[in-house]
Amino acid sequence: MTPDDPHDAVVVGSGAGGAMAAWMLAKAGASVLMLEAGRNYSPDESPMLNMAMDAPLRGVGTPDKEFGFYDATVDGGWNMPGEPYTMAEGSEFMWWRSRMLGGRTNHWARNSFRMGEYDFKPKTRDGLGEDWPVTYEDMAPWYDRTEKLVGVYGSNDGLENHPNSGPGVLQPPPKFRVWETFLKAGGDALNIPVVAARRAILTKKIDERSPCYWASACGRGCSIGAAFQTTTSFIPWAQATGKLTIATGAMVYEVLLDANGKATGVRYIDKATGAHKEAKGRVVVLAASTGETARILLNSQVAGRSEGLANSSGQVGRNLMDTVGSSVSAYFPQLEGRPRYNEDGAMGLHAYIPFWDYKRIQSGEVDTPRGYHVEIGGSFGDPGMGVGGGLDGYGSSLRADVKRRYGSRIGFTQRGEMIPNANSFCSIDTNTKDRFGIPVLKFNFAWSDHELKQVTHFQKSMKELIDKLGGTLVSEPLDPSKAISKGGEIIHEVGTARMGADARSSVTNQFGKTWDVDNLYITDGSVFASKAHKNPTITIMALAMRSSDNIVTRLRTGEL
Amino acid sequence: MTDMKTLVTIDRRVTLKWLMGALAVGQLAACGDGAKGLSWAELEAIKATGVGKDPDLINPSVPWPLTLTAAELEIATDLVDLILPAEGDNPAPSKVGVPAFINEWVSAPYPDQHKDRVLIVNGLAWLDEESKVRNGVPFIRAEASAQKLILDDIAFKDKVKAGLEKPAEFFGRARSLTLGAYYTTREGWADIGYIGNQPGTGDYPGPTPEAAAHIKGIIEAMGLKYTPA
Ligand SMILES: Cc1cc2nc3c(=O)[nH]c(=O)nc-3n(C[C@H](O)[C@H](O)[C@H](O)COP(=O)(O)OP(=O)(O)OC[C@H]3O[C@@H](n4cnc5c(N)ncnc54)[C@H](O)[C@@H]3O)c2cc1C
Ligand code: SF4
């Protein structure tokens, strides 16, 4: 089939949420048209074992390639030429996008922590934010299926609000490295858990994907298929069914409705020719990413209404959330001059610190309502352009200092829960259009006191851990208002079309189906009702799988 | 050897001379830095094309023209080799392409690199001027010991000679670029002991027995429990 033919389903976006939906639907026998704004891409383009030395400027980030030369991002980053967004006065928001098949799954860090029972019912626990229309028990089987399919390494530690996976679901985690074992010793003494991280990386072969070969940064894309990305999994699998048609360079800007208010397809710009085209389907699935999906809804014209599509609740664009981020780092004299070995491993977390202080939140001893986890780094890696940081002098003493300090610094990064607030949302900026003539998004963003207090908790706790291990902070932590990340900076933006229990207070039901349009679904992060500290993508995929299953059932019964 | 008093006088002269030279070169930034009020010439931003948003990642190339003069590169070469002299099997930075890298870096059409370019280009010229005044010869003609005397005034953060804050800032960047460039080469990896970027099969082996025994000793000596995972 071609993009001009009517399909059973039109899926917008090929990232985590879009590709999961496309594969689930194609596997069930539905014909699927995937529209992707970016260019075609496969990780065969990944410079797997290139050295920093082979790249311009040793691969450091530049305004062209902000996360470094070898980062897989195509035609994207914090700034996209010709595709701006704006910010309300006094607001700062950072929006990382890419324009490529597979979206940001080509270079995400693959950290995959499932949400727990507290995370789905936060309002019930502390009265803040919103509850989800699903419980953890509802989601557990979908997490199991998603993790098994995707391939996630990790361990089941039975910790509070960090649920175990089902039997046989997880892949074995890689061994801790020396500095991780060192941290664990300190953590054990303070009752701060340091446990195996969970990442969407294979340590055992499944299907045609190879296990990790312990080299090459995952952000470059993984051409051997070990690090999960949709371009080595869902997309080729869906193509293999013969049911998937892909149109790249297809910038969708509007959902089409018939006289009865049912979606008939979408309108897009074919970037190669500039032509405006229509794609038709029985069901429309939006997964263009949190901001972009809200933009398409808000830009869609609905006869007799001014608020855009699927927005009778007024919640489209509202409840914009990102992860709370801040960091500290320390030198540990005890780690100086330690014996060398290959610490590349899975080029990311083998261990992490899950949130541990729920009891003291409950008792009121801790004044921040929600938790965070800590991602840690400290391996002997390619020294990189930062290797001289903090060093002094010159000559042979300098050479000795470089070697002594190598591998003795550990970085601690907070990843925390944000509670939705009325000051954080996106809307259409009617004064600004992108190079295609599509009105752009305008962001409002503000943290609240809850998040700032959480930063303080993190700073204090890490200081205790660092002290216990005899480390010295590289620099004193900043005031939380300065230490906290900017909105969007952690690239976990979610929530602009939240799911909920009723049409009055939410945009979709628990299956991502919009309340207002019966055959319009959303399967990206915009449906999040809260932003637990857990990185969102594994949950985006589990929800997308569950919602797609609902679509399949309804296609089969002829409801759609 | 010059005594302290003459050095101070000479320094003031250098400053003046340098200032005049800088004025002759172009617009002088008005903002002072520190008590001595010395400012370095701003340079025009480079307008070459960068790598763009979708470069070939497997076969990278540097699209911008290199801008350092042969004379500047000669000074840079001496400087990087003073920063990290060859030692045993470990070659000097100039033997592994560090001066060429600095040229690539300061010639790049990006804001961070532009800031460094202003420091490096002015700083290399400063080294030359300083050497001419102190030693009567350009930097590269001076004896290594005389070159080091200049560096001693700018290379140690707690001992920067008053009035030489800007040259010290230049030196800090030069050191950082030299170390970064050097330790990302195979020779640098061998020296520092980075043995990664080697694909392997099977499970990740984890620490060697030696590395494990070492950390076990450390953890237990701190009165903590060693529980490898
Ligand atoms: C460096 C980095 C590290 C990260 N690390 C982690 C991590 O460790 N764990 C984690 O959980 N998350 C991580 N994330 C976040 C993760 O990438 C996202 O949560 C995830 O990719 C979101 O999936 P998505 O399907 O909503 O959007 P995307 O993956 O962004 O896919 C959206 C797709 O839609 C396309 N599109 C956009 N607009 C249109 C349009 N108008 N028409 C047609 N197509 C359109 C885009 O081009 C894109 O391909 C990271 C992100 C980055 C950048
Ligand atoms: S570390 Fe492993 S998973 Fe990551 S890119 Fe390399 S081979 Fe792939």
Side-chain angles (χ1 to χ4, degrees):
Chain A
M1 296 221 280
T2 77
D4 297 331
D5 298 317
H7 286 70
D8 291 326
V10 175
V11 174
V12 181
S14 61
M20 170 66 102
W23 177 71
M24 284 288 287
L25 297 174
K27 183 172 67 108
S31 62
V32 180
L33 172 63
M34 173 184 272
L35 298 172
E36 165 55 51
R39 73 158 167 86
N40 194 12
Y41 171 84
S42 126
D44 291 343
E45 298 180 29
S46 165
M48 291 288 278
L49 294 168
N50 282 29
M51 289 174 64
M53 199 181 79
D54 305 323
L57 309 177
R58 294 300 200 257
V60 300
T62 61
D64 281 331
K65 295 279 296 184
E66 288 139 313
F67 285 172
F69 181 80
Y70 288 135
D71 173 53
T73 303
V74 169
D75 291 334
W78 296 124
N79 292 296
M80 290 176 54
E83 296 190 52
Y85 61 88
T86 60
M87 290 172 272
E89 221 183 294
S91 277
E92 244 185 312
F93 190 80
M94 297 174 76
W95 191 16
W96 182 280
R97 293 168 285 174
S98 69
R99 288 283 180 262
M100 63 201 297
L101 193 68
R104 294 172 297 177
T105 69
N106 291 304
H107 70 132
W108 64 309
R110 277 79 172 181
N111 298 330
S112 299
F113 306 109
R114 38 165 99 179
M115 289 165 54
E117 66 237 65
Y118 302 170
D119 300 326
F120 285 100
K121 299 291 168 193
K123 188 172 186 183
T124 302
R125 260 178 81 72
D126 60 22
L128 300 167
E130 279 299 320
D131 283 346
W132 290 64
V134 288
T135 62
Y136 174 69
E137 282 64 41
D138 294 331
M139 287 305 297
W142 300 100
Y143 273 125
D144 277 354
R145 284 178 65 183
T146 301
E147 286 173 358
K148 182 117 199 177
L149 187 69
V150 158
V152 174
Y153 72 61
S155 61
N156 289 322
D157 301 292
L159 298 172
E160 184 179 11
N161 198 37
H162 304 294
N164 288 349
S165 298
V169 168
L170 294 178
Q171 298 231 330
K175 285 197 182 116
F176 284 15
R177 292 158 290 206
V178 156
W179 59 274
E180 289 160 325
T181 297
F182 178 69
L183 271 190
K184 181 171 182 320
D188 285 350
L190 297 169
N191 287 320
I192 296 176
V194 179
V195 300
R198 288 178 170 224
R199 293 179 69 217
I201 286 176
L202 302 183
T203 53
K204 300 285 173 214
K205 184 175 172 63
I206 32 177
D207 48 67
E208 68 289 354
R209 293 172 290 162
S210 307
C212 178
Y213 66 29
W214 319 116
S216 183
C218 311
R220 299 178 180 193
C222 183
S223 64
I224 64 168
F228 179 82
Q229 54 200 87
T230 60
T231 41
T232 50
S233 53
F234 298 151
I235 294 173
W237 300 342
Q239 281 174 311
T241 66
K243 289 293 198 178
L244 177 67
T245 308
I246 300 176
T248 50
M251 183 74 190
V252 174
Y253 61 94
E254 188 175 21
V255 177
L256 298 168
L257 299 178
D258 66 13
N260 302 319
K262 268 193 87 170
T264 56
V266 299
R267 216 174 253 133
Y268 67 96
I269 293 168
D270 175 14
K271 283 159 70 176
T273 62
H276 291 242
K277 295 187 168 175
E278 292 185 356
K280 295 292 174 94
R282 288 159 66 194
V283 58
V284 172
V285 179
L286 296 181
S289 83
T290 291
E292 200 67 28
T293 288
R295 182 182 176 206
I296 293 170
L297 292 175
L298 294 171
N299 274 331
S300 293
Q301 308 298 325
V302 187
R305 307 196 71 113
S306 59
E307 79 274 5
L309 180 61
N311 195 19
S312 60
S313 65
Q315 294 297 321
V316 174
R318 296 272 147 189
N319 314 301
L320 173 66
M321 295 167 275
D322 186 29
T323 290
V324 177
S326 80
S327 53
V328 297
S329 73
Y331 281 111
F332 293 89
Q334 307 282 13
L335 295 179
E336 286 185 350
R338 61 195 177 92
R340 308 301 201 240
Y341 66 99
N342 185 350
E343 285 195 330
D344 278 0
M347 299 298 288
L349 302 179
H350 289 193
Y352 86 121
I353 301 175
F355 191 66
W356 67 96
D357 221 359
Y358 293 109
K359 294 263 174 337
R360 292 203 308 153
I361 287 182
Q362 204 69 342
S363 70
E365 280 167 89
V366 164
D367 66 355
T368 179
R370 306 282 173 83
Y372 56 90
H373 69 267
V374 185
E375 301 183 357
I376 49 183
S379 294
F380 293 133
D382 182 345
M385 286 306 293
V387 68
L391 293 173
D392 201 26
Y394 70 97
S396 64
S397 66
L398 179 64
R399 196 184 276 275
D401 286 344
V402 170
K403 287 158 83 162
R404 189 169 46 77
R405 294 286 277 274
Y406 181 54
S408 68
R409 179 173 168 162
I410 300 179
F412 302 81
T413 320
Q414 175 190 12
R415 291 286 175 262
E417 174 157 359
M418 171 186 178
I419 298 169
N421 66 57
N423 300 319
S424 301
F425 60 92
C426 60
S427 54
I428 297 295
D429 182 341
T430 44
N431 298 320
T432 314
K433 290 180 173 161
D434 67 10
R435 67 187 166 107
F436 309 108
I438 311 169
V440 307
L441 280 184
K442 177 181 199 166
F443 289 95
N444 282 66
F445 194 88
W447 298 114
S448 78
D449 226 31
H450 299 308
E451 288 84 33
L452 298 179
K453 283 180 174 159
Q454 188 191 90
V455 171
T456 305
H457 185 285
F458 161 79
Q459 290 176 338
K460 272 198 196 147
S461 308
M462 291 308 108
K463 180 80 169 57
E464 271 174 52
L465 181 57
I466 291 162
D467 286 347
K468 188 81 201 166
L469 290 165
T472 46
L473 286 169
V474 170
S475 56
E476 279 304 311
L478 298 170
D479 182 79
S481 63
K482 301 224 168 60
I484 199 166
S485 50
K486 294 184 176 138
E489 190 176 0
I490 310 304
I491 321 180
H492 290 168
E493 71 284 357
V494 294
T496 53
R498 78 170 170 216
M499 58 167 61
D502 56 63
R504 189 187 44 78
S505 64
S506 61
V507 180
T508 81
N509 73 0
Q510 60 169 299
F511 299 108
K513 181 184 78 90
T514 60
W515 294 109
D516 297 353
V517 184
D518 188 51
N519 63 339
L520 176 63
Y521 281 75
I522 300 175
T523 64
D524 59 24
S526 50
V527 296
F528 277 41
S530 76
K531 171 67 205 62
H533 67 78
K534 283 90 181 225
N535 317 42
T537 309
I538 196 74
T539 301
I540 292 177
M541 290 194 282
L543 287 166
M545 188 190 244
R546 186 170 183 266
S547 299
S548 304
D549 186 68
N550 179 259
I551 299 173
V552 166
T553 308
R554 295 184 71 219
L555 279 172
R556 285 210 176 117
T557 58
E559 247 187 82
L560 286 173
Chain B
M1 246 196 126
T2 3
D3 64 28
M4 219 28 217
K5 220 168 125 204
T6 1
L7 249 183
V8 172
T9 339
I10 287 170
D11 269 333
R12 205 173 296 124
R13 202 154 51 81
V14 174
T15 306
L16 274 176
K17 189 159 172 227
W18 171 245
L19 205 77
M20 272 149 40
L23 276 169
V25 172
Q27 336 83 300
L28 188 73
C31 53
D33 47 64
K36 302 278 162 168
L38 175 71
S39 292
W40 283 17
E42 185 44 76
L43 300 173
E44 222 172 284
I46 285 173
K47 287 202 188 66
T49 28
V51 298
K53 292 257 176 204
D54 188 12
D56 180 344
L57 301 187
I58 295 182
N59 309 292
S61 58
V62 176
W64 52 86
L66 304 178
T67 56
L68 289 183
T69 64
E72 286 166 336
L73 274 171
E74 278 184 329
I75 307 171
T77 301
D78 270 21
L79 177 64
V80 300
D81 287 355
L82 285 163
I83 289 175
L84 207 64
E87 206 171 277
D89 290 341
N90 303 310
S94 64
K95 297 286 179 293
V96 296
V98 173
F101 173 75
I102 288 181
N103 196 1
E104 171 187 323
W105 184 274
V106 301
S107 307
Y110 299 115
D112 286 355
Q113 282 68 26
H114 174 76
K115 273 191 225 139
D116 283 344
R117 176 165 171 256
V118 173
L119 277 176
I120 300 287
V121 168
N122 282 306
L124 294 173
W126 180 85
L127 282 179
D128 233 14
E129 287 303 316
E130 186 74 7
S131 177
K132 282 182 200 157
V133 173
R134 289 201 200 185
N135 311 309
V137 288
F139 191 72
I140 59 163
R141 302 264 171 278
E143 296 291 327
S145 55
Q147 291 176 323
K148 285 187 196 167
L149 280 178
I150 298 178
L151 297 195
D152 286 342
D153 288 344
I154 57 176
F156 299 87
K157 62 174 175 295
D158 295 332
K159 290 187 279 180
V160 174
K161 193 160 184 190
L164 298 190
E165 291 77 12
K166 202 76 196 179
E169 193 190 331
F170 145 72
F171 184 82
R173 282 308 294 152
R175 174 175 56 217
S176 207
L177 292 174
T178 302
L179 294 177
Y182 184 84
Y183 285 104
T184 40
T185 61
R186 289 198 186 282
E187 294 79 0
W189 285 2
D191 181 28
I192 204 167
Y194 173 62
I195 42 182
N197 207 38
Q198 307 261 18
T201 53
D203 290 342
Y204 171 61
T208 54
E210 184 205 0
H214 177 259
I215 198 67
K216 179 171 188 282
I218 283 176
I219 289 171
E220 289 176 354
M222 295 174 85
L224 301 171
K225 268 213 206 79
Y226 171 70
T227 49

